[in-house]
Amino acid sequence: MTTSQGPIAAPITQDVLTIPRKLPEGGLVNLVGLTREQLRAALIEAGTPEKQAKMRVGQIWQWIYHWGVRDFALMTNLAKEYRALLAERFEIGLPEVVTRQISADGTRKYLLRIAGGHEVEAVYIPEENRGTLCISSQVGCTLTCSFCHTGTQKLVRNLTAGEIVGQVLVARDDLGEWPEQGAPKDETRLVSNVVLMGMGEPLYNFENVRDAMKVVMDGEGLTLSRRRITLSTSGVVPEIARAAEEIGCLLAVSFHATTDEVRDRLVPINKRWNIETLLNALREYPRLSNSERITFEYVMLKGVNDSDADARRLVKLIRGIPAKINLIPFNEWPGAPYERSDWERIEAFADIVYKAGYASPIRTPRGEDIMAACGQLKSATERARREKTGVAKPAAPEVGIGPACTS
Ligand code: SAH
Ligand code: SF4
């Protein structure tokens, strides 16, 4: 986990909890993650008269997303019989929290189990006056970025919109951020920002990510403005304009190199859509999405992409694009073929970028003591299970979070 506030040497104290929670059960339709239109259709299908459907959608929506209610019986402005009907057909299902770890610096890492027994991670990073939740969009990833731990794992499946929204609900439950629990209002909200920087490539799960973000942005529910949501992509060029038009959130791009030769190696999707093609798509994004600037993520790899010449090429390449450049010290993982650049090198690089007129924050690790950076929680969990059961290989594919959940 990283921020732009300078290195944090967090003491190693851990609070590992197990919070049992129900998985969505077969047969019942999960209402979490349905768009308003989908919810309306589901209610009508269950027998709600069409004339009432809009009102019922509004009521149920508020119960789930504004009040944080999980039980139809508590929806007191609905008739008793109607509540019973809802309970027969539907559920309000969230991912199951397998473990929650809390870092000495307040970072919280959740290992979540979803249908099929797969596991993904979400990480909450508290900061002064705000908090960022980093969520996953896929189990594993189809792409194979050579510095990324998730990239070593095959794609298992896309998350549903419900599973994506569910990560936000789980965090708000855990943080006690619902009105009845005394949730603070907008300015000091605990989950004030969401970043799609966990596991997976969000633009390869476009519809589910879009629908989930619509739910998260809805003004009568979770109410996060589109400027508080950042989608990070490795550079799926054909979907970038679509993201601007259909989601409209902020965009971060995993840039990481200044020549096609190096980017081909680090972010192999570059072989399909190279730097020039990517930059052309990015130039259009602020206008199409009506957002201010794009975040360029740049992982600092010793001797690979971290020279002064790289820094100069970078600012030349992005000229004309409203941008900030987030420099990410490489999060090392066992067997990784790279090393983190030295701190002085990172600072020298940042300096060149800054002098060229771009904000160049260096993200420094958060939650290191709970290994919130690169899937190690899951690996550590699997290791513990193996030791306990004597089973050599984990039953489920081992997966890890995109290692740079950042704010
Ligand atoms: N798939 C999307 C989003 C998830 S990865 C993407 O690639 O953008 C989120 C960010 O973490 C990306 O910028 C990714 O390049 C970066 N990242 C992945 N592995 C990393 C590592 N080991 N150290 C630092 N950053 C890493
Ligand atoms: Fe997938 Fe992003 Fe990791 Fe690349 S950096 S392998 S796109 S999660």
Side-chain angles (χ1 to χ4, degrees):
M1 292 295 51
T2 56
T3 72
S4 51
Q5 295 172 343
I8 294 165
I12 302 188
T13 53
Q14 287 196 12
D15 167 18
V16 184
L17 293 180
T18 301
I19 309 166
R21 202 198 291 278
K22 236 173 75 225
L23 273 180
E25 278 160 18
L28 300 179
V29 174
N30 190 2
L31 296 187
V32 175
L34 299 188
T35 60
R36 280 178 180 268
E37 301 74 44
Q38 290 166 338
L39 179 55
R40 181 173 185 276
L43 294 181
I44 291 173
E45 212 264 322
T48 307
E50 270 196 47
K51 275 193 178 159
Q52 292 178 12
K54 193 171 175 216
M55 187 171 72
R56 300 287 172 243
V57 167
Q59 290 169 318
I60 295 167
W61 192 276
Q62 283 207 351
W63 282 118
I64 301 176
Y65 299 114
H66 177 76
W67 297 104
V69 161
R70 305 276 178 267
D71 185 350
F72 294 110
L74 299 176
M75 301 184 175
T76 45
N77 57 354
L78 301 176
K80 250 196 172 150
E81 303 74 56
Y82 189 61
R83 284 184 247 162
L85 169 89
L86 293 175
E88 259 170 43
R89 302 289 296 265
F90 303 117
E91 64 170 348
I92 301 163
L94 304 192
E96 177 191 5
V97 180
V98 180
T99 56
R100 177 191 71 173
Q101 287 181 284
I102 304 180
S103 162
D105 69 16
T107 299
R108 291 175 181 226
K109 180 164 176 165
Y110 306 98
L111 178 67
L112 305 172
R113 189 172 298 135
I114 55 171
H118 307 300
E119 288 170 348
V120 290
E121 291 164 347
V123 180
Y124 173 70
I125 310 144
E127 288 174 279
E128 216 174 306
N129 295 326
R130 66 181 217 161
T132 300
L133 183 70
C134 174
I135 60 175
S136 295
S137 57
Q138 299 181 310
V139 185
C141 189
T142 47
L143 302 172
T144 53
C145 304
S146 53
F147 57 90
C148 174
H149 190 244
T150 306
T152 64
Q153 297 135 20
K154 287 210 170 73
L155 175 75
V156 178
R157 72 166 170 84
N158 282 336
L159 297 193
T160 63
E163 289 160 348
I164 298 169
V165 175
Q167 295 171 64
V168 180
L169 299 184
V170 162
R172 290 195 61 169
D173 279 2
D174 182 45
L175 295 163
E177 201 185 7
W178 297 109
E180 302 277 275
Q181 298 165 305
K185 295 265 183 297
D186 266 9
E187 299 315 302
T188 53
R189 279 173 63 167
L190 297 173
V191 180
S192 62
N193 295 63
V194 165
V195 294
L196 282 147
M197 292 186 185
M199 211 188 291
E201 169 49 60
L203 294 186
Y204 275 149
N205 185 14
F206 191 92
E207 284 81 10
N208 288 329
V209 166
R210 176 199 57 203
D211 291 351
M213 292 307 108
K214 276 191 181 164
V215 173
V216 170
M217 291 189 279
D218 189 286
E220 284 177 23
L222 296 165
T223 332
L224 251 72
S225 99
R226 61 190 189 85
R227 291 201 163 76
R228 291 188 173 269
I229 297 172
T230 304
L231 183 153
S232 175
T233 181
S234 57
V236 185
V237 165
E239 304 292 339
I240 288 179
R242 203 175 156 212
E245 282 156 7
E246 296 182 31
I247 309 174
C249 61
L250 301 182
L251 187 72
V253 63
S254 296
F255 207 64
H256 303 325
T258 60
T259 64
D260 281 322
E261 191 262 320
V262 176
R263 197 162 190 272
D264 281 353
R265 272 192 285 136
L266 299 182
V267 190
I269 201 174
N270 194 68
K271 291 183 203 154
R272 188 124 176 235
W273 296 291
N274 66 12
I275 290 179
E276 195 191 341
T277 316
L278 175 60
L279 288 171
N280 287 339
L282 296 177
R283 276 197 185 89
E284 291 297 304
Y285 192 88
R287 185 178 58 78
L288 292 175
S289 65
N290 196 19
S291 60
E292 293 107 50
R293 55 185 185 170
I294 290 174
T295 300
F296 284 76
E297 295 161 284
Y298 199 96
V299 62
M300 299 299 292
L301 305 170
K302 193 182 220 163
V304 176
N305 64 355
D306 62 352
S307 68
D308 286 354
D310 278 305
R312 282 192 284 268
R313 263 197 303 270
L314 177 61
V315 292
K316 217 167 146 195
L317 281 170
I318 66 171
R319 195 168 289 159
I321 303 177
K324 93 169 172 197
I325 292 135
N326 273 356
L327 299 175
I328 317 173
F330 175 55
N331 290 312
E332 295 179 7
W333 39 274
Y338 303 105
E339 281 174 71
R340 180 182 287 189
S341 305
D342 295 332
W343 190 252
E344 300 74 50
R345 183 88 298 275
I346 299 176
E347 284 190 325
F349 194 106
D351 205 42
I352 293 172
V353 174
Y354 180 74
K355 287 199 173 118
Y358 295 96
S360 56
I362 303 169
R363 294 176 181 172
T364 54
R366 291 288 303 268
E368 277 195 315
D369 53 335
I370 56 168
M371 293 178 284
C374 54
Q376 292 132 318
L377 169 65
K378 179 82 196 325
S379 313
T381 313
E382 295 293 357
R383 213 173 304 125
R385 275 184 204 149
R386 282 201 292 277
E387 275 160 18
K388 218 168 144 191
T389 58
V391 179
K393 224 175 159 285
E398 210 166 297
V399 289
I401 203 160
C405 285
T406 46
S407 51

